[in-house]
Amino acid sequence: MSNDEAIKAQFEPKIVAFFCNWCTYTAADLAGTARMVYAPNVRVVRIMCSGRLDPQFVLAALREGADGVLIGGCHPGDCHYQEGNYKALRRFTLLKSLLKSMGIEQERVRLEWIAASEGDKVQRVINEMTETVRQLGPLRLEPTIYNLIEDSLLKIPETATLAKGDEL
Amino acid sequence: MSYLYYPGCSAKSTGKAYEESLLAVFSALQIPTIEIEDWNCCGATAYMSISELKAFALCARNFALAERQSKGTTMIDLIVPCAACYLGLKKALLYLREYPEIRTKVDESLHSAGLKYTGHIRIRHPLDILVNDVGLKKIASLVTHPLDGFRVACYYGCQVIRPYADFDDQHEPSTMDKIVESLGAEVIDWPIKTRCCGGSLTGTVQEYGLRLSYNLLKEAKKRGCNVIATSCSLCQFNLECYQRQMKRRFKDKVNVPVAFFTQLMGMAFGIPSRQLGLHRLLVPLQQPSKTKADVGGHHVYN
Amino acid sequence: MSTTEIRSNGTPKVGVYVCHCGINISSKVEISKTVEFAKTLPYVTIVRDYKFMCSDPGQELIQQDIGEGKVNRVVVASCSPLMHEPTFRNVMAKGGENPFFFQMANIREHVSWVTRNKEEGTKKAKSLIAAAVCRVALHQPLERKRVSIHPDVLIVGSGIAGIHAALTLADSGKKVYLVEREPTIGGHMAKFDKTFPTLDCAACILTPKMSAVLAHPNIILWTYSEVIGVDGFVGNFKVKVKRKPRYVNEELCVGCSECIEACVYKKARVEDEFNVGLSKRKPIYIPFPQATPLVAVIDEASCLELKRRKCKKSCVDVCEPNAIDFDQTEEIKEIDVGAIILATGFKTFDARRIFRYGYGKYNNIYTSLEVERMVNAAGPTSGEVILKSGQAPKMVAIIHCVGSRDNNTNRYCSRVCCMYSLKIAHLIKERTGAEIYNFYIDMRTPGKGYEEFYDKLLKEDVHFIRGRVAEITDWAMTPEEEGKLIIRAEDTLVGAVRRIPVDMVVLSVGLEPQADTEEVRRLFNISCSDDGWFLERHPKLAPVSTFTDGVFLAGACQGPKDIPDSVAQAGAAAAEAMALIDRGYVELDPNTAYVQEDFCSGCKTCVNICPFNAISFDGDKNVAVVNGALCKGCGTCVAACPSGSLQQNLFTDEQILNEIKGVVSYV
Amino acid sequence: MEKWKGWPKLQFESELDPNFARQIASIPGGDKLYDCIQCGTCSGMCPLSPCMDYTPRQIVAMIRAGFRKEVLSSSTTWLCSSCYSCTVECPKEIRLTDIMYAAKRLAIREGVYPKKFPIPVLANEFFKAVERSGRNTESWLTVRLFLKTNPIQLFKMMSLGLRLWLRGRLSPKRESIKNKAELHSILKTLEKEYMVKPKRQLGLAGKETP
């Protein structure tokens, strides 16, 4: 087994997921109540609607050390807010091309429509996603790209450092 | 559009007439067919009960040969008239596609013989090709001697239709009915057109096999049919060749001609009977008398 | 651009409370490790764990800490926020802190219930807690908006469920709009003869309720009508209803059916929907004698006048009240309601889909619904069970689970078939004395008096064969079988295959979602479960609510149900609607968007993007303005805003970015 | 005083094989076996169930319960003419025919199939013929079958054989492919491969959680 493979073998990808409150997050809850075991690598951030997803969130996640990002919204036509998911789709396509230009594999970012009843789909997608990213291996950002993201983003308040001083 | 042709073992002996009539009809329809060179057994039913994996390998060799023979073609259509072969090959194709663990093992085995198969192949039954590629219009247009007076019971048997056939309804197939109707014959309605004829049992546990075949014949006769059309050499063999045994065991003179549907087509197309292997039938098939077929057959409890 | 000064209540003092949820969480999450980890997170002053955080003592813990000023922001790591967020926000309030200084980490549904082992579980739990802590530090105090509720209720569908809900609400003084697609109310129950297990006649118990609906001052009944549009949200729905023309004036018609007599069609030729095709009706008709309202209706498809405008209209001549009006056109009504109850019911499974059973191919094979009409005294055969030949059957087979418990059709059990099959067995036995064979897979008779009913049938020497029928043919193998329908099935309790010749077969068809469920679902913006029924908010704790506030479910539209259950659920739905309305207002989560005017560049991107027209543009100040009352809080505009001046309460950029940081970088 | 053969209708758990179900389920798609609700559709559809010592449904139940001996030595699996009616109609999509095959293969491997029963003999002869020459010659197959099972039958069939021969439907000529070497090397590589896993290849007991 080559060294590279060795790394892939024990590599546990970190994946951040943005799930909309009404369909996909509910579906994830359903998967839970149905005790559908799936890969632990995906960690969910809840937003009200996939329309809220600002592409910079994805970039931020990647910069912070995520190896992949999963976005979940209602099926077309089912959006709780009428058309948020269409907006999400449009931004997603833009984002993809952006990532391409940054030299980041497109498979690291995935958009899925998952309805409230589709707990099993949550299980499937998360398992697939985890495997794909595992195959791709850890995301290594070129310093230049890193800075590029850095600049294109607004700063994340450093709660951690603040913590040391405790008083503001 | 040209096809590769896989005869299967029975086409070379008991099912000779099937092959003869099939090829005759296809050439009448100007459909070129090339036989796979050095094809081998498909590893059907009996074989599969020893080693399924080897059965798949046998099929895979045929696929490999087919691909080698028609190199370059993006999708090969393989005509398989024999029901058992049709099922065996189709199943192999499916399993090789769906179960990688099988695929790898079989690939290895092929590799050891310097063969490989990519899977650009489709298993087609003559019924499928005739209805979907050729079309009933074309068939009807070739009819010179309409089969009036023929009251046909179309018998599909099991394995042409179940479980993998995609060209016809698995519960109520109709392709053969349509073809036979387009030949000017009358098709009788009977509910057991896909009920098993006993298959290989007729050769092994005759007690049972014979009964199943007899039930079919009896019911067909009761419904006034004067010829049974089949699409499987084993079915044809069971239904036709054991009629004497039936007479002995069930005290009932069945005496129904059992022909391959391709033979009926040939007759309607006016193809000389020898080319259709009609002379090979044990129960001769001739123009039925205009009087309604004798309705007979009595009951066996089973 | 954005800065990190923490608004309002000073330095964050975050308290983290980890819930064991009995062993639901602790079995897959190393609580002690999690607690130790949480202590290391920024701003965290207190970390506690407890068996059940949602219990009173659990809530006490939090309140105390707040009260003693030890914490001013709280993270509870337990179940899904969809489950207990409201509970803990109240705890905050009770403790004297703004309820929105709170964040939940879902370490049950998203962790302990979906991970293989403690190692995985603990790791994932840590990351979610870190995320919550990082986020809550940036939370801000918020006010809930109150919106008043319109007191009227819309009920869609007037089967027994719709009727019961309507009466309950109307009796409590609520104004109810009852909308029914068919020309009469009553639904499936009106078609039945007797009802299990008590065998009291359906009409006798239903018709009084039907007339009560018609007579009730608080109920506005619109039959032959359909909802075509729904806008707004809980408390304030705007609904469009289409009233199809029935070409007979409801106010004038007295239901004398003279017109039907007089119709130029001397013989009835049109298939009678109410008798599920067992009889014929005329183009002008009244579905059945107790139809409510008792008003004739003319169907466009078959009426000569309406088809070709050339008929001598003998119906008009005989109608004394001059109720017939061929110029009637469809009418769109617009109404405001505060709550909606869906009671759209079910359809029966199409037996043709199972070819082996020969429905539609052989004579004397009926679906259970057809038989219900047949045994009904007011039905096409006036209650007689007869074959096509006119004689009474001597042997009858009743086949359970047709279209149910089958991966090729519907996986689920339709729940009512066993019982109604028993009922039908009893009625046919009673009417004809025939030998009756019930073929079942499993006999399911849970319910008050149901098992007893089964016992009763056993005593009536009805045959019960445990085995799913393989096929029904006219293929006779013995003289006795000639001219009969032959059932072939394994008697699984005996372990032998049996062939049983019968004269008549009853297919106990299962229940299915209505054909247009998908459209209706979209119309009311609710979800369906994967088998196609309307999805309830929670299978146990919110069985009549949906994920759309103010929309409730009653009866079989949510899943197969018998009459008692439908009525019970209708009552529950009515109560929920009542509770909502009587409160008088809804509190909306304050997750609305707001503009930071100093950053707004006035590009107007947001103005067009908002699906609710909640954003307008202030020309003088050259900034966008969000109307908090209209904003539903999806945040689409926020994501679209190029200058970042638009933000969403509870979901500001920095809050989310921090959550991301937390979820990734600590574990 | 006749010899005590054990309780006819008492089954001691210790005599059952807890791994049997998992062994059968190890064939492709075999885990559907666990979905069976014992409705009996398979037996009802089966044209031969009236002749079997256990109906197909019972076989499934017995496999799941671990009645290894009884299943493998039953006539049921061998009477299955693989017409696939059960497979097509099963409400739980259990591929019963494949399960029958699996049982047949096990029975042959472990030599516990009903002795003197012609069907397994036919299978074996067929198998050997194809291994040898790549094709099967019906005339010789039949002859060998009857010699092995009941020679009298052979004479009974003589007349039929003759009539077929006269019509050129039965010839003593042995069918065979040209490139046997190729075939043999293919089959050889698969010698020790099984579709039904031998017990040792099965993991620890108990199904793994999805």
Side-chain angles (χ1 to χ4, degrees):
Chain A
M1 176 147 82
S2 85
N3 184 15
D4 204 27
E5 282 166 328
I7 295 168
K8 274 186 187 176
Q10 14 90 352
F11 160 57
E12 278 303 331
K14 273 187 200 174
I15 297 166
V16 177
F18 298 94
F19 284 176
C20 86
N21 178 69
W22 301 99
C23 293
T24 316
Y25 194 89
T26 317
D29 280 1
L30 178 62
T33 10
R35 308 296 198 277
M36 299 174 175
V37 173
Y38 54 80
N41 309 55
V42 172
R43 300 154 183 191
V44 180
V45 172
R46 179 169 68 118
I47 48 182
M48 291 312 284
C49 174
S50 50
R52 172 67 180 93
L53 186 88
D54 187 328
Q56 69 173 341
F57 295 164
V58 178
L59 295 173
L62 295 177
R63 183 195 56 185
E64 291 302 317
D67 304 293
V69 173
L70 173 62
I71 303 154
C74 309
H75 285 271
D78 290 0
C79 176
H80 189 78
Y81 305 103
Q82 290 173 19
E83 54 204 15
N85 49 0
Y86 291 112
K87 306 280 188 323
L89 179 56
R90 220 175 292 147
R91 293 184 191 127
F92 180 72
T93 28
L94 287 173
L95 179 64
K96 277 260 193 182
S97 50
L98 177 62
L99 292 174
K100 192 144 175 268
S101 61
M102 289 177 165
I104 299 171
E105 300 92 340
Q106 305 210 2
E107 299 75 17
R108 290 188 186 273
V109 182
R110 177 169 173 179
L111 173 65
E112 279 290 342
W113 307 135
I114 304 179
S117 59
E118 298 178 314
D120 50 344
K121 190 170 178 186
V122 170
Q123 182 187 37
R124 206 188 74 238
V125 170
I126 288 187
N127 285 335
E128 287 173 6
M129 180 81 181
T130 311
E131 266 329 292
T132 331
V133 178
R134 195 190 302 282
Q135 290 313 315
L136 291 172
L139 170 65
R140 300 200 189 79
L141 283 180
E142 300 290 325
T144 50
I145 300 299
Y146 184 92
N147 300 335
L148 189 68
I149 298 180
E150 196 63 26
D151 311 337
S152 69
L153 278 187
L154 47 86
K155 297 281 159 293
I156 294 186
E158 292 297 333
T159 23
T161 49
L162 283 169
K164 300 197 184 71
D166 214 28
E167 279 312 319
L168 289 152
Chain B
M1 168 140 210
S2 90
Y3 300 87
L4 273 186
Y5 168 54
Y6 177 89
C9 305
S10 62
K12 298 302 170 189
S13 60
T14 50
K16 240 190 182 91
Y18 195 7
E19 175 169 58
E20 291 165 336
S21 53
L22 180 77
L23 297 180
V25 165
F26 270 48
S27 59
L29 290 161
Q30 282 132 10
I31 304 173
T33 54
I34 311 138
E35 180 169 329
I36 299 183
E37 285 155 24
D38 203 38
W39 56 270
N40 59 261
C41 166
C42 66
T45 323
Y47 191 97
M48 223 179 264
S49 39
I50 309 283
S51 163
E52 191 163 31
L53 206 54
K54 284 188 175 181
F56 290 155
L58 288 175
C59 297
R61 176 172 182 270
N62 291 318
F63 298 153
L65 295 182
E67 291 184 2
R68 194 166 62 191
Q69 196 168 336
S70 57
K71 57 188 100 44
T73 344
T74 46
M75 186 52 83
I76 303 166
D77 277 331
L78 191 61
I79 308 180
V80 184
C82 165
C85 303
Y86 178 76
L87 170 68
L89 293 169
K90 226 171 161 59
K91 184 173 186 179
L93 200 61
L94 188 77
Y95 275 50
L96 287 171
R97 198 183 308 123
E98 292 212 335
Y99 301 102
E101 67 270 26
I102 299 178
R103 177 69 192 258
T104 36
K105 284 178 187 160
V106 170
D107 280 352
E108 279 169 21
S109 69
L110 284 182
H111 186 73
S112 74
L115 288 171
K116 68 185 258 293
Y117 122 89
T118 56
H120 297 304
I121 199 159
R122 267 188 311 210
I123 311 302
R124 311 279 309 271
H125 192 274
L127 285 171
D128 178 6
I129 291 169
L130 287 169
V131 171
N132 297 321
D133 295 7
V134 177
L136 297 170
K137 263 208 201 67
K138 178 99 188 280
I139 294 173
S141 70
L142 263 69
V143 174
T144 54
H145 302 59
L147 303 178
D148 43 20
F150 282 86
R151 314 187 73 249
V152 185
C154 292
Y155 178 63
Y156 295 77
C158 320
Q159 302 191 332
V160 175
I161 298 303
R162 284 187 303 258
Y164 299 122
D166 37 22
F167 66 90
D168 207 338
D169 183 340
Q170 296 197 335
H171 308 280
E172 176 66 348
S174 60
T175 39
M176 202 196 300
D177 303 48
K178 291 192 195 121
I179 292 176
V180 171
E181 267 165 1
S182 68
L183 302 176
E186 175 188 352
V187 174
I188 66 157
D189 161 66
W190 63 331
I192 48 183
K193 55 168 85 161
T194 63
R195 195 177 187 78
C196 179
C197 66
S200 54
L201 292 178
T202 330
T204 50
V205 197
Q206 260 198 14
E207 185 53 41
Y208 301 152
L210 226 47
R211 262 198 167 67
L212 295 191
S213 304
Y214 175 63
N215 281 336
L216 292 168
L217 291 170
K218 183 192 71 192
E219 186 63 16
K221 271 189 81 172
K222 232 167 71 191
R223 291 166 186 262
C225 105
N226 52 23
V227 55
I228 294 179
T230 70
S231 56
C232 161
S233 17
L234 184 57
C235 300
Q236 196 277 343
F237 188 79
N238 283 339
L239 293 181
E240 184 195 30
C241 303
Y242 288 98
Q243 290 192 11
R244 281 196 185 175
Q245 279 81 345
M246 294 177 192
K247 182 168 167 228
R248 240 179 275 121
R249 187 179 261 106
F250 308 118
K251 308 278 166 293
D252 178 15
K253 192 170 179 307
V254 191
N255 198 23
V256 190
V258 184
F260 293 103
F261 75 101
T262 41
Q263 291 179 301
L264 294 180
M265 292 180 73
M267 289 170 74
F269 292 177
I271 298 170
S273 70
R274 273 199 95 69
Q275 290 179 32
L276 299 173
L278 286 172
H279 59 292
R280 302 191 189 279
L281 297 180
L282 298 188
V283 182
L285 167 61
Q286 67 275 83
Q287 178 64 38
S289 54
K290 284 276 170 281
T291 59
K292 197 174 176 305
D294 56 336
V295 176
H298 56 84
H299 298 287
V300 223
Y301 291 77
N302 72 338
Chain C
M1 39 148 271
S2 96
T3 50
T4 321
E5 101 277 14
I6 310 283
R7 298 161 194 82
S8 86
N9 63 354
T11 315
K13 287 179 273 174
V14 180
V16 178
Y17 300 84
V18 184
C19 179
H20 299 221
C21 194
I23 60 155
N24 278 306
I25 292 173
S26 57
S27 62
K28 291 287 174 61
V29 176
E30 200 69 69
I31 301 290
S32 54
K33 285 194 188 148
T34 324
V35 170
E36 286 319 305
F37 167 79
K39 289 189 181 145
T40 68
L41 293 168
Y43 294 117
V44 173
T45 51
I46 289 179
V47 184
R48 300 185 194 278
D49 64 293
Y50 189 71
K51 271 226 150 317
F52 292 102
M53 282 313 304
C54 56
S55 67
D56 287 352
Q59 301 188 15
E60 265 307 308
L61 286 175
I62 304 175
Q63 276 181 52
Q64 258 178 15
D65 292 346
I66 298 174
E68 296 165 8
K70 293 187 186 138
V71 301
N72 56 15
R73 286 142 200 270
V74 170
V75 168
V76 174
S78 59
C79 48
S80 167
L82 305 182
M83 182 94 177
H84 269 313
E85 197 171 51
T87 321
F88 291 112
R89 279 184 175 162
N90 289 338
V91 174
M92 298 295 290
K94 278 194 243 147
E97 192 45 89
N98 182 291
F100 297 94
F101 283 125
F102 170 77
Q103 179 68 16
M104 218 161 163
N106 183 349
I107 62 167
R108 191 178 74 175
E109 281 83 349
H110 287 200
V111 179
S112 63
W113 279 351
V114 292
T115 40
R116 266 177 224 84
N117 54 48
K118 273 200 166 178
E119 191 193 341
E120 286 180 357
T122 313
K123 193 171 170 211
K124 192 173 178 186
K126 282 181 183 173
S127 68
L128 292 184
I129 292 170
V133 170
C134 291
R135 179 190 220 285
V136 82
L138 299 176
H139 276 203
Q140 299 160 25
L142 298 166
E143 289 296 318
R144 279 211 189 77
K145 211 181 319 86
R146 283 191 174 190
V147 181
S148 67
I149 285 183
H150 194 290
D152 300 352
V153 181
L154 165 70
I155 298 177
V156 187
S158 65
I160 182 59
I163 289 175
H164 185 77
L167 288 173
T168 316
L169 282 162
D171 289 343
S172 77
K174 304 282 177 294
K175 183 175 171 196
V176 176
Y177 296 93
L178 183 57
V179 175
E180 168 61 50
R181 171 170 23 196
E182 300 299 322
T184 171
I185 65 174
H188 277 97
M189 185 175 175
K191 295 186 162 90
F192 302 162
D193 177 41
K194 299 273 197 300
T195 56
F196 62 77
T198 49
L199 290 176
D200 39 10
C201 111
C204 316
I205 54 178
L206 180 61
T207 30
K209 284 177 91 92
M210 286 164 69
S211 11
V213 166
L214 193 63
H216 208 298
N218 291 343
I219 298 179
I220 298 175
L221 173 59
W222 287 337
T223 55
Y224 216 51
S225 310
E226 285 175 33
V227 175
I228 56 168
V230 181
D231 270 331
F233 55 96
V234 54
N236 301 277
F237 292 104
K238 295 202 173 306
V239 182
K240 277 204 188 72
V241 179
K242 177 176 83 186
R243 305 214 59 200
K244 296 176 276 183
R246 67 198 293 161
Y247 303 104
V248 176
N249 183 319
E250 274 186 45
E251 280 60 44
L252 302 179
C253 176
V254 294
C256 65
S257 38
E258 289 293 335
C259 49
I260 303 173
E261 282 307 311
C263 177
V264 294
Y265 276 85
K266 281 292 148 266
K267 280 179 68 259
R269 295 223 203 94
V270 189
E271 197 163 271
D272 182 342
E273 300 85 355
F274 190 78
N275 281 335
V276 282
L278 288 183
S279 68
K280 302 267 184 261
R281 59 161 175 82
K282 293 184 176 181
I284 185 166
Y285 66 104
I286 295 176
F288 65 107
Q290 301 87 359
T292 312
L294 193 62
V295 173
V297 52
I298 306 178
D299 100 63
E300 291 165 338
S302 53
C303 170
L304 278 181
E305 174 60 14
L306 290 171
K307 258 171 28 195
R308 335 212 164 78
R309 288 286 164 201
K310 55 170 149 71
C311 171
K312 61 178 154 72
K313 290 183 261 178
S314 36
C315 50
V316 178
D317 310 339
V318 293
C319 181
E320 278 168 12
N322 295 321
I324 297 175
D325 168 11
F326 283 109
D327 306 327
Q328 213 176 62
T329 52
E330 83 173 25
E331 190 184 355
I332 305 295
K333 299 268 190 187
E334 296 198 6
I335 54 174
D336 296 316
V337 295
I340 298 173
I341 296 175
L342 293 178
T344 51
F346 64 94
K347 78 172 171 33
T348 52
F349 173 81
D350 173 12
R352 277 176 193 75
R353 282 173 63 192
I354 300 183
F355 183 83
R356 316 193 305 285
Y357 289 170
Y359 180 75
K361 181 175 185 215
Y362 301 120
N363 281 336
N364 301 319
I365 299 185
Y366 296 98
T367 68
S368 42
L369 194 54
E370 291 168 338
V371 173
E372 290 282 0
R373 291 310 298 151
M374 201 186 262
V375 293
N376 188 313
T381 60
S382 43
E384 259 189 289
V385 181
I386 47 168
L387 304 169
K388 284 269 186 306
S389 62
Q391 297 136 329
K394 292 194 182 50
M395 284 176 112
V396 179
I398 301 177
I399 300 175
H400 296 216
C401 301
V402 176
S404 308
R405 302 186 67 189
D406 182 345
N407 293 5
N408 311 308
T409 54
N410 299 316
R411 287 165 181 271
Y412 53 83
C413 161
S414 291
R415 240 168 131 260
V416 294
C417 319
C418 279
M419 282 305 291
Y420 79 57
S421 300
L422 292 175
K423 175 190 72 183
I424 289 175
H426 169 82
L427 294 176
I428 296 182
K429 191 91 183 165
E430 181 184 66
R431 303 273 208 288
T432 66
E435 287 300 317
I436 297 178
Y437 296 83
N438 271 265
F439 295 87
Y440 66 97
I441 304 176
D442 295 298
M443 189 57 74
R444 295 185 171 172
T445 59
K448 208 169 181 184
Y450 289 12
E451 185 65 12
E452 293 81 344
F453 190 69
Y454 180 23
D455 295 340
K456 172 179 153 71
L457 264 287
L458 287 165
K459 287 193 197 68
E460 293 177 4
D461 83 69
V462 171
H463 306 266
F464 288 93
I465 299 178
R466 190 199 174 280
R468 185 163 174 269
V469 169
E471 58 180 7
I472 301 170
T473 60
D474 60 350
W475 167 39
M477 289 175 91
T478 72
E480 301 77 12
E481 291 179 349
E482 289 299 340
K484 303 252 183 185
L485 295 162
I486 298 98
I487 310 272
R488 185 177 166 118
E490 181 187 19
D491 187 328
T492 60
L493 299 182
V494 179
V497 177
R498 292 176 65 176
R499 287 177 60 96
I500 300 174
V502 298
D503 309 304
M504 180 192 249
V505 176
V506 181
L507 301 177
S508 297
V509 286
L511 275 49
E512 279 187 337
Q514 293 277 19
D516 60 352
T517 302
E518 189 57 20
E519 295 83 85
V520 178
R521 179 184 75 76
R522 295 229 156 130
L523 194 55
F524 294 91
N525 196 347
I526 61 173
S527 310
C528 283
S529 51
D530 52 5
D531 47 19
W533 302 99
F534 291 150
L535 183 66
E536 65 284 346
R537 191 178 203 121
H538 189 285
K540 300 173 189 66
L541 302 180
V544 299
S545 312
T546 67
F547 285 99
T548 302
D549 292 336
V551 178
F552 305 101
L553 303 174
C557 63
Q558 178 260 350
K561 257 173 225 62
D562 58 12
I563 295 168
D565 289 3
S566 300
V567 171
Q569 208 193 13
E576 294 273 1
M578 227 179 284
L580 180 67
I581 289 167
D582 287 353
R583 199 190 317 130
Y585 64 85
V586 268
E587 277 191 333
L588 304 181
D589 264 2
N591 55 8
T592 48
Y594 62 93
V595 183
Q596 299 161 305
E597 298 193 346
D598 349 1
F599 305 127
C600 179
S601 61
C603 69
K604 299 191 192 151
T605 318
C606 50
V607 178
N608 316 323
I609 216 169
C610 175
F612 309 102
N613 312 321
I615 308 180
S616 54
F617 187 70
D618 180 335
D620 317 335
K621 293 213 217 102
N622 192 41
V623 291
V625 183
V626 177
N627 175 342
L630 295 178
C631 174
K632 303 260 192 324
C634 60
T636 311
C637 55
V638 183
C641 177
S643 68
S645 64
L646 263 168
Q647 286 302 326
Q648 179 184 12
N649 287 316
L650 278 176
F651 294 91
T652 64
D653 286 337
E654 50 184 31
Q655 285 165 353
I656 297 178
L657 287 165
N658 247 276
E659 191 173 355
I660 295 169
K661 186 182 184 63
V663 87
V664 187
S665 46
Y666 286 86
V667 188
Chain D
M1 178 69 181
E2 66 169 297
K3 189 167 149 296
W4 170 248
K5 294 200 201 62
W7 306 100
K9 287 281 172 207
L10 175 63
Q11 180 60 55
F12 292 99
E13 197 62 14
S14 53
E15 295 167 349
L16 297 178
D17 174 357
N19 279 326
F20 190 36
R22 290 180 45 247
Q23 196 172 5
I24 296 291
S26 72
I27 60 170
D31 51 356
K32 286 261 183 208
L33 176 71
Y34 296 103
D35 299 358
C36 179
I37 55 171
Q38 290 289 300
C39 66
T41 312
C42 42
S43 315
M45 291 305 300
C46 181
L48 283 141
S49 47
C51 320
M52 297 169 168
D53 45 13
Y54 303 105
T55 66
R57 173 193 58 85
Q58 285 173 313
I59 289 290
V60 175
M62 289 162 76
I63 291 175
R64 292 180 49 162
F67 287 73
R68 184 186 199 87
K69 201 164 72 281
E70 292 77 356
V71 170
L72 293 189
S73 54
S74 76
S75 72
T76 304
T77 50
W78 294 105
L79 283 177
C80 169
S81 63
S82 45
C83 76
Y84 289 88
S85 337
C86 48
T87 305
V88 169
E89 302 300 349
C90 174
K92 296 296 173 185
E93 298 167 291
I94 302 170
R95 298 193 204 143
L96 215 69
T97 318
D98 291 5
I99 291 176
M100 295 291 179
Y101 274 123
K104 284 185 226 183
R105 292 197 291 273
L106 265 187
I108 292 217
R109 218 155 74 204
E110 304 180 3
V112 293
Y113 54 84
K115 297 281 176 296
K116 280 262 147 257
F117 201 53
I119 306 168
V121 180
L122 172 75
N124 266 317
E125 289 305 327
F126 189 97
F127 186 78
K128 281 193 238 137
V130 176
E131 295 264 297
R132 223 181 294 106
S133 56
R135 287 184 197 175
N136 142 49
T137 315
E138 284 169 340
S139 51
W140 286 102
L141 183 64
T142 348
V143 172
R144 245 188 259 95
L145 171 66
F146 288 139
L147 285 177
K148 278 227 159 93
T149 51
N150 75 8
I152 305 97
Q153 188 67 13
L154 190 52
F155 293 104
K156 286 221 192 101
M157 305 298 288
M158 271 309 181
S159 68
L160 174 56
L162 192 65
R163 288 161 67 218
L164 289 170
W165 179 71
L166 287 171
R167 288 169 176 74
R169 287 174 68 172
L170 210 55
S171 87
K173 171 176 168 298
R174 281 184 193 275
E175 288 290 329
S176 164
I177 64 172
K178 299 190 206 69
N179 194 342
K180 291 186 196 160
E182 191 176 77
L183 184 74
H184 292 151
S185 71
I186 290 177
L187 296 178
K188 208 165 168 314
T189 48
L190 296 171
E191 246 352 295
K192 281 280 153 282
E193 298 286 2
Y194 297 122
M195 294 282 286
V196 195
K197 293 208 175 27
K199 273 207 213 140
R200 50 182 166 70
Q201 284 186 21
L202 291 168
L204 298 155
K207 274 178 76 207
E208 202 169 61
T209 45

